[in-house]
Amino acid sequence: MSSIGAQGGRKPEDPAEAAAAGALVNGAAIESLGRMLESVPAPLFALDRNRQVVAANVAAGKLFGGTITGRNLLAFLRHPPLVDAVEACEAGRSTEPVALPESQGRSGQRRLVARLQAIRPPMASASVMVLIEDTTAAERALTLRRDFVANVSHELKTPIAALLGFIETLMGPARDDPLARQRFLGIMRGEAERMNRLVSELLSLSRIEMNEHQPPAGRADLGNILKTVRDSLTLKVEQRQLNLVFPGLAELPTIPGDPDELTQAIQNLVDNAIKYSPDRGEVRVGYQRIEDPIACREKLQGIRSPKAMIALSVSDQGEGIAKEHIPRLTERFYRVDAARSRELGGTGLGLAIVKHIVNRHRGSLDIDSEPGKGSTFTLFLPVEA
Ligand SMILES: Nc1ncnc2c1ncn2[C@@H]1O[C@H](COP(=O)(O)OP(=O)(O)OP(=O)(O)O)[C@@H](O)[C@H]1O
Ligand SMILES: [Mg+2]
């Protein structure tokens, strides 16, 4: 906010005339102050020397649940550090933004900050402007970014430390031990492969996120996609002696979508089902076309009046997932048992990638699970663009 000037003009001689002119000028000044406040979308109000609100914009009224013009600051925002800051601002001392007590917003705790600006000379008796800024989203983004960097560093540090350890051993004590060399090189390859997978999954995630606002323009043949997924997992399925059940591929439709991304999403789900299944367990991929308008609206939130959708489910008879973990599974790096997932070669990014792919396709992902019985992951995707 920049400094705001007062009204000027000729001085009337008669006291009555002077008072009338003064009121008129004051009214006009309040009006122009009000117009100025209204041009700012964030909550904004002006206080006089008695902490009384001279004018406020609509956003401020909304924030404090009604008209605040004419009210005292303490009546609607009792926060001593803010009062101190207002005093400091009036006295010409510069003030830092003041964090307000956390309040409850529509989607959880909300963080608000008040920024003050002196009005010099005062305008319609208003001497301090107070702008309220909602910093919730900015702070959340900052925390997410910090956590993300910490997670990536942590995930990379583990394999790097292992590689360095084995290199030291191979250069030192195990230099002339061909058996140890063979074994350590095998472990080193595993660690390097994990880093490679982590980096390609991170790149994949960032690419999908970058395009998320732009729905895919192509068409995806679900029969072809499921065939690709099945072929790529044959070896794992045989090794674990699993019974992998697929729907008849010929009956599957072609839907709007990016074939590579949908392959990646379904592959991730089937891969998890295999990973978390007991040997000789059953992994079942199911398909259904749903035309119920209420269900379609609920599952395809990015589409105005969806007429039909497909539900593609992947069920396993594995250990299942406890309820409290389910809402967090699609967060990056979130794993129920991190050590176990790492042991199975996982990075904890698979379901985060699935979620972003589904978002881009204006669909959704449902997770149903019963500990000890198994899990079902269902993708809902629109049949029409
Ligand atoms: N079918 C499932 N059964 C039981 N737990 C599951 C299943 N699918 C996912 N999970 C749990 O969700 C977590 C996150 O899954 P996600 O696919 O994101 O990561 P990951 O499989 O560990 O690693 P990545 O997929 O990156 O290789 C897993 O670590 C596991 O704890
Ligand atoms: Mg996975």
Side-chain angles (χ1 to χ4, degrees):
M1 271 180 275
S2 57
S3 207
I4 296 150
Q7 65 286 350
R10 155 194 87 85
K11 282 208 172 95
E13 257 122 68
D14 172 17
E17 193 197 334
L24 213 66
V25 169
N26 200 38
I30 290 182
E31 206 171 290
S32 73
L33 181 63
R35 266 200 308 276
M36 203 164 56
L37 300 190
E38 219 43 80
S39 67
V40 176
L44 178 62
F45 54 91
L47 297 172
D48 66 12
R49 291 198 162 274
N50 303 318
R51 322 266 175 277
Q52 198 95 5
V53 178
V54 179
N57 66 4
V58 172
K62 264 194 201 149
L63 177 67
F64 297 110
T67 310
I68 56 169
T69 305
R71 294 177 70 192
N72 193 284
L73 175 65
L74 290 175
F76 61 92
L77 184 56
R78 183 176 280 279
H79 186 51
L82 179 61
V83 177
D84 293 347
V86 169
E87 258 165 35
C89 186
E90 264 173 354
R93 281 175 272 133
S94 74
T95 53
E96 291 293 310
V98 180
L100 300 180
E102 279 200 358
S103 62
Q104 195 62 35
R106 238 173 295 155
S107 48
Q109 287 294 84
R110 197 164 52 160
R111 287 177 170 279
L112 301 176
V113 163
R115 293 180 188 280
L116 309 181
Q117 171 73 47
I119 308 173
R120 208 155 282 125
M123 184 178 183
S125 78
S127 55
V128 173
M129 290 266 225
V130 183
L131 176 79
I132 309 283
E133 197 184 342
D134 189 336
T135 57
T136 319
E139 283 183 34
R140 193 177 298 146
L142 196 68
T143 312
L144 278 179
R145 197 164 58 226
R146 277 199 205 117
D147 288 355
F148 180 67
V149 172
N151 274 321
V152 172
S153 321
H154 178 73
E155 292 297 327
L156 283 173
K157 250 172 120 168
T158 317
I160 289 174
L163 281 177
L164 287 175
F166 286 117
I167 291 170
E168 289 284 304
T169 317
L170 284 175
M171 290 172 81
R175 193 175 11 204
D176 303 315
D177 182 344
L179 267 181
R181 188 164 55 225
Q182 206 52 28
R183 197 164 72 81
F184 293 166
L185 283 174
I187 302 174
M188 289 165 75
R189 183 170 61 193
E191 297 294 340
E193 278 169 355
R194 183 217 298 289
M195 283 198 282
N196 195 19
R197 209 166 32 235
L198 176 66
V199 171
S200 37
E201 290 200 344
L202 283 172
L203 287 175
S204 174
L205 192 57
S206 95
R207 204 176 40 238
I208 297 160
E209 265 184 320
M210 226 151 41
N211 293 330
E212 203 166 316
H213 60 279
Q214 197 178 19
R219 312 261 317 152
D221 178 337
L222 288 177
N224 271 346
I225 290 178
L226 285 196
K227 187 173 176 312
T228 310
V229 171
R230 189 176 59 189
D231 292 348
S232 71
L233 294 168
T234 310
L235 192 67
K236 279 189 193 170
V237 169
E238 280 171 5
Q239 278 171 348
R240 307 276 315 282
Q241 301 177 11
L242 296 168
N243 181 20
L244 185 57
V245 183
F246 268 69
L249 299 188
E251 72 181 67
L252 295 178
T254 295
I255 60 168
D258 180 316
D260 289 339
E261 287 187 6
L262 289 178
T263 306
Q264 194 178 2
I266 297 167
Q267 178 126 19
N268 262 307
L269 296 182
V270 181
D271 186 58
N272 279 349
I274 291 175
K275 256 197 315 203
Y276 299 102
S277 274
D279 286 349
R280 287 185 286 280
E282 183 180 278
V283 171
R284 184 175 282 273
V285 179
Y287 159 77
Q288 206 190 343
R289 184 185 161 96
I290 298 169
E291 290 182 0
D292 171 17
I294 295 173
C296 287
R297 254 202 309 278
E298 184 201 337
K299 301 297 181 194
L300 310 177
Q301 295 198 349
I303 298 184
R304 209 161 290 150
S305 49
K307 294 195 178 57
M309 64 180 173
I310 59 126
L312 201 84
S313 60
V314 181
S315 309
D316 64 61
Q317 301 172 330
E319 65 218 59
I321 306 155
K323 223 195 196 122
E324 66 268 24
H325 294 294
I326 292 182
R328 301 199 58 192
L329 290 185
T330 55
E331 287 175 20
R332 298 154 191 218
F333 297 111
Y334 190 85
R335 293 173 280 204
V336 175
D337 179 347
R340 166 99 196 285
S341 152
R342 263 191 219 113
E343 204 178 288
L344 296 171
T347 58
L349 291 174
L351 289 178
I353 292 177
V354 174
K355 186 187 79 177
H356 285 288
I357 292 177
V358 167
N359 284 350
R360 182 169 181 231
H361 284 76
R362 310 293 183 256
S364 60
L365 170 71
D366 264 15
I367 307 177
D368 261 321
S369 187
E370 205 177 321
K373 293 239 167 95
S375 314
T376 297
F377 288 72
T378 309
L379 293 179
F380 295 95
L381 296 166
V383 173
E384 284 166 43

